[in-house]
Amino acid sequence: MPLKVLAGVEASTLWENHEIHIVGLNIDIHHPAITAFLAEQASCRQARAKLIAERLEKAPPG
């Protein structure tokens, strides 16, 4: 059976104080609402990565 590839994304969100990962399969990744949402997700992840890096730089060695 041949392999079938689907467009998909994973998004993270909070629901009732729980982090949830949502997988969207076979969606229109070029839809304006999806591209805006994914851009916001990427921005949040970049900010989180920067914060983690800053904390690691301040941490004592060892």
Side-chain angles (χ1 to χ4, degrees):
M1 175 180 269
L3 179 66
K4 184 175 181 179
V5 178
L6 303 175
V9 297
E10 179 185 2
S12 300
T13 191
L14 287 175
W15 178 72
E16 294 188 1
N17 251 359
H18 298 283
E19 186 174 14
I20 297 176
H21 302 278
I22 302 167
V23 176
L25 297 176
N26 205 25
I27 63 171
D28 180 4
I29 60 172
H30 302 293
H31 189 282
I34 296 294
T35 55
F37 174 74
L38 294 177
E40 178 65 26
Q41 288 271 302
S43 177
C44 289
R45 287 184 179 162
Q46 286 290 334
R48 182 173 178 259
K50 183 178 178 182
L51 181 62
I52 291 170
E54 289 170 356
R55 288 178 180 167
L56 287 172
E57 286 177 351
K58 293 177 184 176

